[in-house]
Amino acid sequence: MTTVDPEISAQPRPPRRKAAGDPVKALLHRHRELCERAVDPLEIAAGLEAHGITDRTAARFRHRDVFSLAEELYARSPHEAVTTAAPTLVPAGPAAFRGFGYALLPGALACAAAAAGQAWAGAAAVAAVAATLVWPGRAAGGRFPYVAHLLAAAVAGWAVYRHGTALAVGLALAVVPGHLAAVAFAAGARARLDGSRALEDFADRARPLLPAAVALFTGAATAAAALAGASLPVAVPLALLLFLTRLLLRHGAHRAPVCAGLVLALVPVPAAALTAAAGLLVHAVLALARASAHARP
């Protein structure tokens, strides 16, 4: 019979180094919901990017980049069988038709009120345009989630008060092309996200989408302003400012730069709206080239 020295058995055993052996386990636990609901590794990579994890951070988890880390997290997470349809340029279905119907309402309401000579035509158009900014919003968390929407309504209302009902009608008519351009931009970015193999690859492929959407909308907003008889130097920058506000809020961008641009547009000088739109465009180029801006909510 073998005896055990009590002094030896009383000595504490050295702790196991689980964290050093499996550095990804803690990250997997921290982002379990993201990893389990993702339909592909890039979905996880986009979520990790949104949480501030970069390629340099991924190196601490023994991976060369965020996408490689996301592939391991995806492989180690349970997933339900998900069937995804091929991305289309303009999504179809009841929700898409409903959204298009909502976008038609501001222009129809403004034109009808203006044609009837109603004094409240401008105010009604401003309210309808502001409502279309709230409807597609994704950035609803945090304190004071609707400050940007209220500021957008104030910008449009202040401009209509200074320049007349024709401006309100022009802005309302621009809602439909703005809706279509925003939907096409989101669908195109989503298609590129699904087809990319790295975050940098997605950024390179997605950057041309925003200038194309802005150019398309600017042309449509110019036509809408001309049709309504509004001043083009006033109507077009203001419409572009509201369009960029919609895009940024819809894709979860930080509200602070958006609010700053809208506050700038309230300054009663002719170039205020144009300067604000230019500033938001620069911010949008940076913010909307990130994969996390296009991940499924």
Side-chain angles (χ1 to χ4, degrees):
M1 182 175 179
T2 305
T3 59
V4 180
D5 190 341
E7 294 184 359
I8 297 178
S9 61
Q11 293 179 356
R13 295 181 179 180
R16 296 180 181 178
R17 301 179 61 186
K18 293 183 180 180
D22 189 4
V24 181
K25 188 174 183 180
L27 189 66
L28 180 63
H29 178 74
R30 191 180 313 138
H31 301 285
R32 177 180 298 175
E33 182 179 356
L34 167 67
C35 297
E36 291 181 356
R37 67 179 174 84
V39 298
D40 53 40
L42 198 58
E43 199 67 50
I44 298 177
L48 295 178
E49 182 195 46
H51 285 88
I53 296 178
T54 63
D55 290 343
R56 181 175 298 181
T57 310
R60 299 207 305 262
F61 296 95
R62 303 175 184 174
H63 283 273
R64 66 182 182 276
D65 52 33
V66 175
F67 186 74
S68 174
L69 174 61
E71 285 184 320
E72 180 178 348
L73 292 173
Y74 183 80
R76 294 174 60 172
S77 303
H79 299 280
E80 297 180 358
V82 178
T83 303
T84 57
T88 58
L89 184 61
V90 179
F97 287 112
R98 188 166 56 248
F100 182 72
Y102 291 156
L104 283 172
L105 288 177
L109 178 62
C111 289
Q118 297 296 323
W120 47 266
V126 168
V129 170
T132 61
L133 290 176
V134 177
W135 169 70
R138 173 177 138 188
R143 299 181 62 189
F144 312 115
Y146 294 115
V147 169
H149 302 111
L150 294 175
L151 284 173
V155 167
W158 173 237
V160 169
Y161 174 77
R162 294 171 60 203
H163 299 284
T165 304
L167 176 61
V169 175
L171 293 178
L173 291 176
V175 170
V176 169
H179 169 76
L180 295 177
V183 169
F185 170 77
R190 184 66 226 179
R192 283 158 175 75
L193 181 62
D194 291 339
S196 298
R197 289 293 302 168
L199 296 176
E200 295 80 3
D201 177 36
F202 167 76
D204 291 339
R205 298 174 64 190
R207 282 193 187 98
L209 290 176
L210 181 62
V214 168
L216 176 66
F217 175 75
T218 301
T222 302
L227 183 63
S231 171
L232 297 185
V234 174
V236 175
L238 188 59
L240 181 58
L241 176 66
L242 296 176
F243 175 67
L244 291 171
T245 297
R246 174 194 173 111
L247 279 185
L248 289 166
L249 293 179
R250 173 62 183 87
H251 292 279
H254 292 294
R255 289 186 300 273
V258 177
C259 291
L262 293 171
V263 169
L264 176 60
L266 288 171
V267 178
V269 296
L274 180 60
T275 304
L280 274 194
L281 180 59
V282 173
H283 175 59
V285 168
L286 300 175
L288 299 182
R290 302 185 65 195
S292 54
H294 307 282
R296 292 182 179 89

